Amino acid sequence: MTRHIKTLIILLLAIFSITSCQKIEPIAVIPEPSECTQKKGHFSIDEQTILCFGNIGEEGRDIMKTIRESYPKKFKGLQPNLGDEESAGKNSILFAINEKPDETLGDEGYTLTVTPRKVVAKANTVAGLFYAYQTLVQMSYASQIAGNGPYSVPCAKIKDHPRFAYRGAHLDVSRHFFNVDYVKKYLDMMASYKLNKFHWHLTDDHGWRIQIDKYPALTSKGAWRPERSKWDTLHPMLPDEPATYGGFFTKDQVREIVEYAAARNIDVIPEIEIPGHCSAILYAYPQYACDNYPYVVAVGPYWPPKAIMCAGNDDVLRFYKDVLDEVAELFPYPYIHIGGDEAFNDNWQVCPKCQQRIADKGLKDEMALQQWLMNEIEQHLKSIGKKAIIWDDIVSEDMVNKSTIMCWQGPQAAIIAANHGNDLILCPTSHCYFNFYQNDPDKEPLAMTGLITLEKAYTFDPMPEGLSEKAQKHILGGQCNLWTEFINTPKQADYMIYPRICALAECVWTDPAHKDWKKFQNKVEMHTAYRKK
Ligand code: ACM
Ligand code: ZN
């Protein structure tokens, strides 16, 4: 046989094997990998399969433990046999750090090669290996849905890395309280879709949710409110009404969650709202208000919220700095979110102390007063080795602030901030607010006004149009937000977040050239069927 005929036969066999394989069992990985070539055959996981870890070092221990511990859950009770790189022969799954870093994979990318004989995952970091494992688990979904059991993984060669370094999900635990178990479940869901930043909205008008030793009333008073069956009624807490609904996280619980997240390659970003959304603080410490109004922990969606901390009172600055000092000790990630959204400053306009501050600092107006306050806090964070994230409400052409900006209101603020040299995270209400309805409001449980279907969520692009190459470098990524005014149970939170979180994950991980709505829909169907099993 001539060389040409041989080559032709090999080519035809290869095409046949790929197409015939795809018909039987598609690879349904979310987010879509950068490169994926399906091959003929399967790798079968069984009682003899050895799970091997090579060269992962001490820093990878916790993430590898997560893999070992989740393996029996993912593969229906199979206990893994453990080995090292040397034992990674036939019937093994090897996770190993590249001896020589592969520049094209970056910090979180990986390669995954599945053959009938063995599986090999390689990466520059343990994070990359963790994501290779998530991909492997998802590759077994199709076979599970087909009724073949969880043990069969289609052969493939995958090379994958994220488009953005910041891939987040936010959870508001103030409007309704969600406990440690639910937060862990949320983190598990994030990890399975390769999201790596958990934005934990811990304080708001409706409850303060983190233990602060120096200010115990924040949690003894500020974490509790009356339980009302109807959240959308507006009458406030009455003086003698029992405050039975609420809760907060102790410092030990916070540490537990931070550790749990780290073992899943997730950094936790706490949010402490400054200077608005503070009814719960002012119920506990009324001396920090501009006036003598009897503030109470909010029980409904008052609008606009009147509560704002007095920016002319030095004790308020001391309070925030003390709180942030305690918060900073609990969270190893350098960023702390300090709010800054929807700070209605009517009180500042008539408060002698706030007006005095404006005069003393030569500020132009109340907006400039907020900028000044946020800068003071940002400087304090810097002095303790931390960095601030602030909502885009503070963005203006003349701002001096260099914090990272979280853009929720639309592209205008993002463009100004990026050109100004601030780093940015995007979560616009148009695509990322998963507390909005996801389908026809007439047929859905009560949700926040607004409609973001799965298809709409899938069109999110964190990169605003029209940015210069230099400004584009400031776009760190994006996240979805789950505000919980109308979400009062874990079941409802799950319903609102899934499957839109899959769309978000693909928007922040996958290169737009590899996104495909039809394919995505099919993948979501498979994942949903798997989740129901
Ligand atoms: C926001 O939705 N107020 C950030
Ligand atoms: Zn004031």
Side-chain angles (χ1 to χ4, degrees):
M1 214 186 306
T2 66
R3 257 204 11 240
H4 282 108
I5 295 173
K6 254 193 200 162
T7 313
L8 190 66
I9 289 172
I10 291 169
L11 203 66
L12 285 171
L13 279 174
I15 291 169
F16 174 72
S17 70
I18 289 168
T19 49
S20 63
C21 230
Q22 274 168 347
K23 264 190 226 125
I24 299 164
E25 221 159 70
I27 291 180
V29 175
I30 300 174
E32 184 66 20
S34 317
E35 294 169 33
C36 171
T37 311
Q38 190 160 358
K39 309 265 180 165
K40 192 167 184 239
H42 290 84
F43 175 80
S44 292
I45 297 173
D46 59 29
E47 287 83 0
Q48 271 75 48
T49 304
I50 316 176
L51 203 50
C52 303
F53 298 105
N55 192 24
I56 57 160
E58 193 52 23
E59 72 282 7
R61 217 193 42 211
D62 290 347
I63 285 185
M64 289 304 122
K65 185 162 167 258
T66 306
I67 293 181
R68 274 200 319 271
E69 288 179 357
S70 81
Y71 185 93
K73 286 184 217 134
K74 302 296 180 189
F75 298 107
K76 303 281 186 273
L78 282 184
Q79 291 301 327
N81 303 294
L82 299 178
D84 56 17
E85 196 154 0
E86 260 75 73
S87 30
K90 191 168 181 299
N91 198 4
S92 65
I93 305 174
L94 169 67
F95 294 92
I97 300 288
N98 285 318
E99 299 266 320
K100 190 163 152 286
D102 176 345
E103 300 289 327
T104 62
L105 294 178
D107 286 343
E108 294 177 297
Y110 63 92
T111 54
L112 182 68
T113 309
V114 182
T115 64
R117 190 167 181 274
K118 65 195 279 197
V119 176
V120 177
K122 294 256 179 156
N124 299 334
T125 60
V126 190
L129 296 179
F130 182 67
Y131 289 149
Y133 175 70
Q134 301 308 326
T135 294
L136 186 71
V137 167
Q138 289 191 18
M139 284 168 77
S140 76
Y141 286 2
S143 126
Q144 300 191 44
I145 297 309
N148 299 334
Y151 316 117
S152 159
V153 182
C155 292
K157 201 164 177 47
I158 292 176
K159 182 171 184 185
D160 197 12
H161 59 87
R163 181 179 176 211
F164 290 104
Y166 187 110
R167 305 178 304 280
H170 149 290
L171 179 65
D172 167 10
V173 294
S174 172
R175 272 52 180 272
H176 282 102
F177 182 62
F178 291 85
N179 66 15
V180 171
D181 285 347
Y182 186 71
V183 172
K184 286 182 175 175
K185 190 171 178 221
Y186 200 80
L187 293 167
D188 283 339
M189 164 103 74
M190 287 178 61
S192 69
Y193 294 117
K194 305 186 176 88
L195 298 179
N196 64 357
K197 303 286 180 259
F198 175 51
H199 173 179
W200 201 3
H201 188 76
L202 284 162
T203 75
D204 214 303
D205 294 301
H206 307 79
W208 181 280
R209 306 282 179 226
I210 179 169
Q211 176 189 347
I212 301 293
D213 296 332
K214 200 158 186 184
Y215 299 90
L218 286 172
T219 43
S220 64
K221 291 184 76 179
W224 304 95
R225 63 168 186 258
E227 183 147 21
R228 299 268 176 80
S229 60
K230 266 200 168 304
W231 171 263
D232 53 342
T233 54
L234 283 176
H235 75 90
M237 179 179 356
L238 304 169
D240 55 354
E241 198 174 358
T244 52
Y245 178 86
F248 64 92
F249 298 93
T250 64
K251 288 191 169 178
D252 280 345
Q253 288 174 324
V254 169
R255 286 187 199 99
E256 185 183 335
I257 282 169
V258 167
E259 203 176 294
Y260 190 88
R264 285 154 185 77
N265 193 44
I266 296 173
D267 296 307
V268 184
I269 301 166
E271 182 180 355
I272 304 297
E273 275 273 17
I274 302 172
H277 288 285
C278 59
S279 303
I281 304 176
L282 294 182
Y283 178 54
Y285 297 98
Q287 65 269 34
Y288 299 147
C290 291
D291 56 11
N292 294 320
Y293 184 83
Y295 293 94
V296 289
V297 181
V299 290
Y302 303 92
W303 204 255
K306 171 183 161 66
I308 190 162
M309 301 283 276
C310 180
N313 181 346
D314 288 339
D315 291 346
V316 167
L317 269 101
R318 187 69 266 146
F319 166 82
Y320 279 136
K321 290 175 185 177
D322 289 342
V323 166
L324 289 169
D325 287 349
E326 290 194 33
V327 168
E329 274 181 14
L330 293 169
F331 295 89
Y333 192 56
Y335 287 89
I336 295 180
H337 199 310
I338 55 172
D341 63 319
E342 299 172 324
F344 294 95
N345 58 34
D346 298 24
N347 285 5
W348 287 359
Q349 292 167 31
V350 295
C351 168
K353 283 187 188 160
C354 286
Q355 290 304 312
Q356 190 61 48
R357 181 85 79 197
I358 287 175
D360 290 349
K361 299 290 170 192
L363 304 169
K364 124 170 150 246
D365 54 16
E366 286 74 23
M367 188 57 215
L369 178 59
Q370 186 180 346
Q371 295 260 12
W372 172 84
L373 176 64
M374 300 315 270
N375 288 345
E376 287 290 304
I377 301 298
E378 189 208 1
Q379 290 312 313
H380 179 71
L381 286 182
K382 229 187 219 169
S383 76
I384 56 170
K386 294 287 183 184
K387 300 188 220 179
I389 299 177
I390 306 182
W391 292 111
D392 66 12
D393 304 51
I394 68 142
V395 171
S396 69
E397 295 283 0
D398 56 0
M399 71 175 173
V400 291
N401 198 294
K402 285 290 172 205
S403 303
T404 295
I405 303 295
M406 187 169 273
C407 287
W408 65 284
Q409 301 189 85
Q412 294 87 344
I415 291 165
I416 295 171
N419 287 332
H420 187 262
N422 293 68
D423 285 342
L424 291 167
I425 299 149
L426 281 97
C427 51
T429 51
S430 54
H431 293 79
C432 299
Y433 272 45
F434 294 170
N435 53 322
F436 288 9
Y437 285 99
Q438 55 192 315
N439 281 309
D440 181 356
D442 289 340
K443 299 189 181 124
E444 287 287 310
L446 183 67
M448 188 63 93
T449 313
L451 176 65
I452 299 177
T453 60
L454 181 63
E455 188 168 8
K456 173 84 179 178
Y458 193 69
T459 62
F460 172 49
D461 186 349
M463 186 62 70
E465 278 177 16
L467 286 184
S468 67
E469 222 168 278
K470 184 165 169 237
Q472 284 182 16
K473 293 209 165 51
H474 290 294
I475 308 297
L476 304 182
Q479 69 175 36
C480 56
N481 293 345
L482 197 67
W483 302 101
T484 56
E485 286 93 336
F486 299 106
I487 300 173
N488 59 353
T489 62
K491 190 161 173 247
Q492 182 63 7
D494 284 347
Y495 176 72
M496 298 305 277
I497 197 78
Y498 181 90
R500 289 184 288 188
I501 196 167
C502 298
L504 182 275
E506 200 146 307
C507 295
V508 291
W509 178 284
T510 305
D511 190 290
H514 295 130
K515 282 173 69 189
D516 176 336
W517 165 243
K518 277 266 160 291
K519 184 174 183 185
F520 174 75
Q521 270 181 304
N522 291 336
K523 291 190 294 186
V524 167
E525 268 174 33
M526 193 169 291
H527 282 229
T528 305
Y530 169 77
R531 280 163 60 85
K532 283 189 183 144
K533 270 172 92 84

